[in-house]
């Protein structure tokens, strides 16, 4: 009849639509209409250490007639990307502080991988390799993750003295940087249990609890407790800092020294008094184990324990123990020194 759809015509109209709905319900990505020039990375997370050379893979399956490759770093919480390097396959240009240490690997004609020399703490994060061909741009994302150690930090004045910016500076002063949530979570899985809340790099305030207890947020489940959104200038907490492998080494100088004596003792050995981040990194990566309290550069006295024993702090787990911040004139401790190799 005129104006009526036949059954075959109705099916041909409905079937593609119903297939699309079914396809999306399965959660599968819609088929890409054009060619895929960039090959998906085998590993999306690349692990490295401070001071090492890291390679972020980006490989073309086939080259477009003309193209550029742009590498950028995705800045957390800032909704922006910082350009690192742009290349047309023949010539490359670096941008910013990271661009000075970055180059193209050029293992073959389809290789657009990025090589970062002398990896720094601030290099950790998410990166994007973008192919720009003027028709249909493509990109792959990778994460550079540093092996390291997270340590809680508070000044000699006591707990909850830092706003966000002060916490950030305090970590940098101790050879570290504010930890990310992922770094704090990793440290929690490795045994970090701390009852004081501290700033993280994204501006959140959290603390890790392994053994739930009443004075530490109640007797709920273990995990990373959160204080939610806080004012970066007005609110004050401790800091969770992150450090990685050292270029130099930490060693102990025994004696009954004041803080001033400690600086002189390290100086005579071609070294400086170690920072808190130095000591934690030496404990984590070099297995430093010393049952003697020693001065550090911030005026605190600490000692690292790899093998717990009854007369070395009395705690059952490895860690860096603290005597707090004694009077700088108190001649009762040795010192930990740091020397570049």
């Amino acid at each position: 009849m005129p104006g009526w759809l036949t059954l075959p015509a109705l099916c041909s109209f409905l079937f593609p639509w119903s297939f699309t709905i079914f396809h999306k319900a399965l959660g599968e990505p819609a088929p890409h209409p054009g060619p895929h020039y960039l090959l998906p990375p085998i590993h999306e997370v690349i692990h490295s250490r401070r001071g090492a050379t890291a390679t972020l893979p980006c490989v073309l399956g086939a080259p477009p007639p003309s193209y550029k490759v742009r590498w950028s770093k995705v800045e957390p919480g800032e909704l922006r990307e910082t350009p690192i390097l742009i290349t047309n396959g023949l010539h490359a240009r670096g941008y910013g502080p990271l661009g000075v240490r970055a180059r193209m690997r050029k293992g073959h004609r389809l290789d657009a991988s990025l090589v970062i020399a002398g990896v720094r703490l601030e290099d950790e994060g998410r990166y994007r390799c973008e192919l720009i061909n003027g028709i249909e741009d493509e990109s792959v994302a990778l994460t550079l993750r540093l092996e390291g150690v997270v340590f809680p930090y508070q000044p000699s004045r006591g707990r909850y003295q830092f706003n966000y910016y002060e916490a950030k500076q305090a970590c940098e002063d101790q050879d570290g940087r504010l930890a990310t949530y992922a770094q704090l979570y990793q440290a929690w899985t490795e045994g970090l249990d701390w009852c004081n809340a501290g700033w993280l790099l994204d501006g959140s305030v959290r603390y890790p609890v392994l053994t739930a207890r009443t004075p530490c947020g109640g007797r709920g489940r273990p995990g990373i407790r959160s204080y939610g959104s806080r004012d970066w200038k007005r609110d004050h907490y401790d800091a969770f800092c992150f450090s990685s492998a050292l270029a130099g080494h930490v060693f102990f100088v025994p004696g009954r020294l004041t803080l001033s004596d400690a600086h002189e003792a390290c100086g005579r050995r071609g070294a400086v008094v170690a920072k808190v981040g130095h000591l934690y990194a030496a404990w984590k990566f070099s297995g430093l184990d010393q049952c003697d309290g020693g001065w550090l550069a911030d005026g605190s006295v600490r000692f690292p324990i790899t093998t717990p024993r009854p007369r070395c702090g009395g705690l059952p787990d490895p860690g860096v123990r603290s005597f707090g911040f004694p009077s700088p004139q108190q001649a009762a401790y040795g010192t930990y020194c740091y020397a570049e190799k």
Side-chain angles (χ1 to χ4, degrees):
M1 295 179 61
W4 288 82
L5 286 174
T6 64
L7 181 59
L10 182 62
C11 289
S12 65
F13 172 76
L14 290 177
F15 181 73
W17 176 83
S18 61
F19 176 79
T20 302
I21 298 299
F22 179 68
H23 184 85
K24 291 183 177 179
L26 290 177
E28 300 175 359
H32 196 287
H36 287 283
Y37 291 110
L38 292 178
L39 298 179
I42 297 176
H43 302 289
E44 294 184 358
V45 178
I46 309 300
H47 295 271
S48 187
R49 289 185 178 184
R50 178 169 54 181
T53 296
T55 300
L56 304 180
C58 184
V59 178
L60 283 71
S66 64
Y67 68 94
K68 291 182 179 179
V69 172
R70 179 174 63 192
W71 275 97
S72 58
K73 188 170 188 290
V74 182
E75 302 297 342
E78 298 183 17
L79 299 178
R80 66 182 180 90
E81 297 186 9
T82 301
I84 301 170
L85 188 146
I86 297 178
T87 179
N88 61 1
L90 297 175
H91 306 285
R93 179 180 178 183
Y95 296 87
L98 186 52
V100 176
R101 295 182 286 114
R103 61 177 175 83
M104 303 303 295
R105 183 172 62 178
K106 293 184 178 179
H108 50 81
R109 68 186 184 89
L110 300 178
D111 188 9
S113 302
L114 184 73
V115 178
I116 301 175
V119 170
R120 300 175 182 175
L121 296 179
E122 61 267 25
D123 294 343
E124 173 160 311
R126 195 157 180 81
Y127 291 77
R128 188 183 309 281
C129 173
E130 184 178 10
L131 177 71
I132 305 171
N133 61 15
I135 301 174
E136 186 174 346
D137 300 342
E138 303 175 19
S139 68
V140 295
L142 302 106
T143 298
L144 178 62
R145 186 163 295 165
L146 270 62
E147 299 175 14
V149 57
V150 172
F151 59 94
Y153 188 74
Q154 58 182 228
S156 59
R157 304 188 305 276
R159 69 198 291 259
Y160 295 174
Q161 298 294 320
F162 298 135
N163 65 25
Y164 173 79
Y165 303 101
E166 292 165 342
K168 187 172 183 290
Q169 185 61 53
C171 289
E172 292 172 2
D173 290 343
Q174 298 307 316
D175 190 55
R177 73 192 296 249
L178 277 175
T180 65
Y181 174 80
Q183 290 165 347
L184 183 65
Y185 183 86
Q186 178 68 28
W188 172 73
T189 65
E190 295 173 355
L192 182 60
D193 182 277
W194 198 255
C195 209
N196 290 344
W199 292 102
L200 297 181
L201 185 62
D202 63 1
S204 63
V205 175
R206 306 173 190 264
Y207 61 99
V209 175
L210 276 176
T211 304
R213 49 206 184 273
T214 301
C216 204
R219 295 188 174 274
R221 299 179 62 182
I224 307 295
R225 307 285 172 84
S226 174
Y227 275 26
S229 178
R230 296 292 162 170
D231 189 286
W232 288 16
K233 291 184 178 180
R234 187 182 66 247
D235 293 328
H236 290 74
Y237 297 95
D238 292 344
F240 285 107
C241 306
F242 174 83
S243 190
S244 186
L246 299 172
H249 66 285
V250 174
F251 60 93
F252 179 70
V253 176
R256 299 180 66 83
L257 310 174
T258 65
L259 181 57
S260 177
D261 295 335
H263 284 284
E264 293 179 5
C266 291
R268 288 195 299 269
R269 293 163 172 81
V272 296
V273 177
K275 299 180 178 182
V276 178
H278 292 150
L279 189 63
Y280 269 92
W283 165 74
K284 174 78 172 182
F285 293 104
S286 302
L288 184 62
D289 184 286
Q290 184 75 41
C291 194
D292 299 282
W295 291 105
L296 296 181
D298 67 341
S300 65
V301 172
R302 307 173 194 251
F303 61 101
I305 296 298
T306 302
T307 304
R309 41 208 187 271
R311 296 187 178 181
C312 277
L315 298 176
D317 300 317
V320 175
R321 319 286 195 236
S322 176
F323 286 140
F325 293 83
S327 168
Q329 288 75 42
Q330 186 175 344
Y333 307 101
T335 184
Y336 290 94
C337 304
Y338 174 73
E340 296 284 352
K341 290 184 178 178

